[in-house]
């Protein structure tokens, strides 16, 4: 017989069948307005009375998955107050380049990719296609700005064999600003940019060296995003996943690229492999916070805490594309996992005075699941599917005719696949990483959900309203004051639309 058999069923986070959670209403005062509802939380550990190294303004992470978080998603997540974790199922240099691309942006000021006058236009086309960039400053071998080339300056077929110098706009014909007149002031850059009548403005030193470019759309974005999470140099904060196989090579490349926080990406974090990876990062790169995971038990939390984890990630099996539980029979309902690990975090805090944030990873279907995950005890939530339909993911969109209620309608979808799926494993040479030879994830489609900004604007509104109706103005208050109740099957039915025929 097993050492222990828990006969109380473990509970999922969302209403899949029975027994999930709902917040009870609490006392809501007139002062509890939307703008005073605080969605911030610590991401990394801190001692009582001190500040965490990284704090999020919206306690939400986009998952470290090929189909979710590349540099574009990471930038948008940081602009929204959260954080993107760039996937590690790709060659080390490619992941490091994605990190660099996020760190190139300093709250509106971009350190651009430059080209030389001798660069072939065919190379510019390849690079522009690969990265979706359209504007390249041209510098000489001393870093002096000599011109500008954009996609409008050449014809892909006729000019591919020419050099950049043959087609660029020379410096005399472009507007520039000097760094000592802008002084890192985004508003000053904005004014100058608007007066230039162009979409971007290079900023140079008095001796002509290129420092930054500002793009109108980036400045608009920045001014629109007061919640953005920035580092000490006002660059967007970014995370990157690492695996337990090649971390000795991957971590140095990622830290060199400027990564702010590392995430050990395994479905079973209570292992010697994860302990060794944690100890390596702590010893070799003590200034870089590292998140351990995933675990679903108190023992798992204590193990990672004792081995130096700066935060602990929870979840084994709740992912929408995950078949781990079906395949190997190991895992736990995500609601129960959060409750158990939150208790362990609180006990550890009482014992040591060190607060180690916990991250609920997977199982988020809709916005209110985020509120419930926080209330159950999570500090931060990580999601994949919830973001997979957004414009910012690196995946394709398809439009399909589908029959719904007897009518043919056009449906837009984006592809989404698990990191343990056969598709995700295609990037590596067979067997090199000692991966399982059976899949733990599937490939799927999700509904297209448009720009992240709009997707999250609606989510924020619903989450804040839910928090206030539960009598809470912050995640810390959800932890202290909220009351949750388990739903019966009948109350789930009663809480949804019932006994009516919907208009089509
Ligand atoms: P979702 O938000 O429910 O879609 O879950 C996303 C989470 O599922 C990720 O952050 C991972 O922890 C986990 N995950 C990603 N790929 C796989 C897989 O192939 N098998 C099992 N779990 C996965």
């Amino acid at each position: 017989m097993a050492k222990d058999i828990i006969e109380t069923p473990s509970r999922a986070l969302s209403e899949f069948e029975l027994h999930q959670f709902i917040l009870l209403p609490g006392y809501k005062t007139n002062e509890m307005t939307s703008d005073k509802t605080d969605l911030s939380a610590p991401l990394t550990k801190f001692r009582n009375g001190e500040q965490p190294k990284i704090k999020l303004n919206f306690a939400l992470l986009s998952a470290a998955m090929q189909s979710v978080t590349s540099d574009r998603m990471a930038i948008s997540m940081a602009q929204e107050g959260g954080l993107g974790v760039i996937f590690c199922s790709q060659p080390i240099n490619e992941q490091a380049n994605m990190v660099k691309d996020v760190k190139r942006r300093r709250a509106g000021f971009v350190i651009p990719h430059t080209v030389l006058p001798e660069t072939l236009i065919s190379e510019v086309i390849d690079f522009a296609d690969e990265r979706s960039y359209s504007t390249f400053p041209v510098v000489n071998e001393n870093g002096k700005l000599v011109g500008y080339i954009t996609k409008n300056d050449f014809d892909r077929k006729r000019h591919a064999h020419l050099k950049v110098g043959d087609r660029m706009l020379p410096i005399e014909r472009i507007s520039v600003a000097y760094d000592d007149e802008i002084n890192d002031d985004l508003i000053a850059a904005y004014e100058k940019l608007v007066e230039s009548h162009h979409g971007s403005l290079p900023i140079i030193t008095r001796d002509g060296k290129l420092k930054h470019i500002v793009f109108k759309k980036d400045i608009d974005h920045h001014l629109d995003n007061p919640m953005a999470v920035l580092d000490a140099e006002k660059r967007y904060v970014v995370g990157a996943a690492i695996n337990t196989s090649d971390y000795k090579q991957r971590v140095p490349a990622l830290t060199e690229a400027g990564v702010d926080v590392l995430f050990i990406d395994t479905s079973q974090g209570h292992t010697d492999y994860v302990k060794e990876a944690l100890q390596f990062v702590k010893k070799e790169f003590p200034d870089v916070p590292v998140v351990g995971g995933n675990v679903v038990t108190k023992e798992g939390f204590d193990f990672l805490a004792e081995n130096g984890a700066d935060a602990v990630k929870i979840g084994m099996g709740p992912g929408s594309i995950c078949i781990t539980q079906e395949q190997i029979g190991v895992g736990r309902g995500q609601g129960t996992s959060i409750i158990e690990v939150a208790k362990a975090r609180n006990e550890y805090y009482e014992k040591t005075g060190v607060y180690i944030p916990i991250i609920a990873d997977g199982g988020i279907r809709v916005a209110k699941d985020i509120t419930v995950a926080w209330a159950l005890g999570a500090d931060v939530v990580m999601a994949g599917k919830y973001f997979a339909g957004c414009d910012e993911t690196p995946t394709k969109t398809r439009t399909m005719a589908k029959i719904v209620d007897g009518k043919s309608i056009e449906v837009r979808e984006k592809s989404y696949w698990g990191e343990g799926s056969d598709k995700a494993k295609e990037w590596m040479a067979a067997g090199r990483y000692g991966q399982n030879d059976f899949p733990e994830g599937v490939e799927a489609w999700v509904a297209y959900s448009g720009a992240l900004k709009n997707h999250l604007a609606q989510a924020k509104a619903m989450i804040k309203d839910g928090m206030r109706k539960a009598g809470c103005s912050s995640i810390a208050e959800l932890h202290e004051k909220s009351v949750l109740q388990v739903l019966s099957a009948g109350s789930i039915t009663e809480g949804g639309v019932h006994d009516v025929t919907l208009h089509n």
Side-chain angles (χ1 to χ4, degrees):
M1 195 181 155
K3 186 175 99 184
D4 192 10
I5 300 179
I6 305 168
E7 291 193 74
T8 325
S10 76
R11 300 188 195 285
L13 185 56
S14 201
E15 306 102 341
F16 290 94
E17 280 177 23
L18 302 177
H19 305 313
Q20 307 340 318
F21 302 91
I22 192 134
L23 280 154
L24 301 191
Y27 176 47
K28 176 176 178 287
T29 65
N30 285 344
E31 284 73 49
M32 291 168 74
T33 52
S34 171
D35 57 326
K36 289 196 193 128
T37 311
D38 179 5
L39 307 180
S40 72
L43 177 65
T44 53
K45 76 178 168 197
F46 58 95
R47 195 164 277 288
N48 190 0
E50 293 174 4
Q51 285 297 315
K53 189 155 189 173
I54 303 180
K55 185 177 170 208
L56 302 179
N57 294 324
F58 187 7
L60 198 55
L61 308 176
S62 64
M65 298 172 73
Q66 291 173 353
S67 49
V68 180
T69 312
S70 57
D71 41 344
R72 187 167 168 215
M73 175 62 87
I75 291 165
S76 298
M77 282 298 294
Q79 286 172 336
E80 292 300 321
L83 180 111
V85 185
I86 292 178
F87 61 96
C88 61
S89 51
Q90 59 175 325
I92 293 171
N93 64 327
E94 288 177 23
Q95 190 189 16
N97 282 341
M98 287 187 182
V99 170
K100 278 187 199 155
D101 275 348
V102 180
K103 301 308 286 186
R104 279 171 183 281
R105 285 154 201 277
R106 255 183 78 231
F109 293 92
V110 180
I111 303 170
H113 281 282
T114 56
V115 292
L116 294 166
E118 299 76 41
T119 308
L120 282 175
I121 290 189
S122 58
E123 290 174 44
V124 175
I125 293 173
D126 288 348
F127 198 73
D129 288 350
E130 195 188 306
R131 294 298 175 101
S132 311
Y133 292 158
S134 58
T135 305
F136 296 90
V138 187
V139 296
N140 67 15
E141 62 284 3
N142 300 320
K144 270 194 170 180
L145 184 71
V146 293
Y148 226 47
I149 190 157
T150 73
K151 276 182 163 176
N152 302 333
D153 296 316
F154 53 81
D155 177 275
R156 295 172 74 99
K157 286 202 185 106
R158 272 190 290 141
H159 299 137
H161 65 288
L162 296 179
K163 292 186 174 155
V164 163
D166 300 326
R167 297 292 313 168
M168 71 181 191
L169 268 185
I171 186 153
E172 304 77 54
R173 291 181 54 196
I174 55 184
S175 303
V176 297
Y178 290 103
D179 61 342
D180 57 7
E181 56 183 357
I182 299 295
N183 278 327
D184 284 355
D185 177 355
L186 207 54
I187 305 294
Y190 183 79
E191 294 304 327
K192 190 98 189 172
L193 181 58
V194 171
E195 286 318 307
S196 78
H197 295 267
H198 293 296
S200 63
L201 178 77
I203 298 176
I204 60 175
T205 59
R206 287 282 167 190
D207 57 1
K209 293 217 171 104
L210 179 68
K211 273 195 86 179
H212 294 116
I213 286 199
V214 288
F215 291 93
K216 178 136 187 334
K217 67 174 175 14
D218 278 354
I219 298 191
D220 288 343
H221 243 103
H222 186 69
L223 298 176
D224 278 357
N225 290 296
M227 289 184 49
V229 183
L230 306 173
D231 66 15
E233 290 170 51
K234 296 201 177 149
R235 301 174 304 175
Y236 295 118
V237 168
V238 62
I242 55 172
N243 56 52
T244 51
S245 307
D246 64 11
Y247 59 86
K248 288 189 182 154
Q249 294 80 43
R250 197 172 284 271
V251 173
L254 293 171
T255 50
E256 165 73 26
V259 73
D260 296 281
V261 47
L262 296 165
F263 290 71
I264 302 178
D265 197 28
T266 63
S267 59
Q268 205 321 29
H270 194 168
T271 64
D272 281 340
Y273 293 125
V274 170
K275 173 176 161 179
E276 283 154 21
L278 271 175
Q279 289 176 344
F280 172 82
V281 179
K282 286 283 128 199
K283 180 160 178 281
E284 303 295 328
F285 301 93
D287 294 336
V288 184
V290 53
V291 178
N294 282 10
V295 295
V296 296
T297 59
K298 170 179 164 39
E299 293 76 17
F301 173 90
D302 288 341
F303 175 80
L304 295 176
E306 274 149 29
N307 284 296
D310 290 279
V312 167
K313 198 145 70 64
I314 309 163
M316 191 172 188
S320 56
I321 34 48
C322 173
I323 50 172
T324 304
Q325 291 185 4
E326 287 105 306
Q327 293 280 70
I328 62 167
V330 184
R332 195 171 213 179
Q334 184 70 341
T336 303
S337 303
I338 300 171
I339 296 169
E340 293 287 312
V341 177
K343 279 188 206 149
R345 173 205 55 203
N346 293 350
E347 280 169 23
Y348 189 85
Y349 181 56
E350 272 168 31
K351 201 168 73 190
T352 64
V354 176
Y355 189 91
I356 301 184
I358 56 173
I359 302 162
D361 173 17
I364 299 297
R365 301 165 82 201
V366 290
K368 59 107 186 149
D369 294 339
I370 298 170
T371 326
V372 170
W374 288 337
L376 288 173
D379 296 283
V380 176
V381 166
M382 175 180 259
K385 194 234 103 187
Y386 192 65
F387 298 116
C390 291
D391 289 330
E392 288 77 0
T393 68
T395 59
K396 293 201 178 76
T397 308
R398 73 172 182 183
T399 306
M400 293 269 294
K402 280 199 175 171
I403 307 292
V404 177
D405 293 335
K407 284 188 184 160
S408 173
I409 54 163
E410 281 221 322
V411 182
R412 286 178 86 184
E413 293 177 321
K414 290 201 92 180
S415 53
Y416 178 47
W417 60 91
E419 288 296 289
S421 67
D422 289 336
K423 182 175 172 64
K425 293 180 191 172
E426 280 166 12
W427 74 278
M428 58 185 170
R432 182 169 159 208
Y433 291 87
Q435 293 263 341
N436 293 330
D437 49 15
F438 56 88
E440 284 191 53
V442 296
E443 291 172 48
W445 293 97
V446 296
Y448 172 71
S449 44
L452 181 79
K453 189 165 190 55
N454 301 336
H455 187 56
L456 286 185
Q458 207 184 33
K460 276 179 198 167
M462 289 191 282
I463 291 169
K464 285 182 170 187
D465 196 40
M467 286 170 68
R468 292 201 307 279
K469 289 200 166 98
C472 300
S473 293
S474 65
I475 297 173
E477 282 192 12
L478 277 175
H479 289 177
E480 279 159 31
K481 293 178 22 187
S482 71
V483 180
L484 289 143
Q485 183 163 19
V486 172
L487 289 157
S488 67
S491 48
I492 291 176
T493 308
E494 182 188 65
V497 176
H498 59 90
D499 300 307
V500 293
T501 309
L502 291 178
H503 287 194
N504 284 325

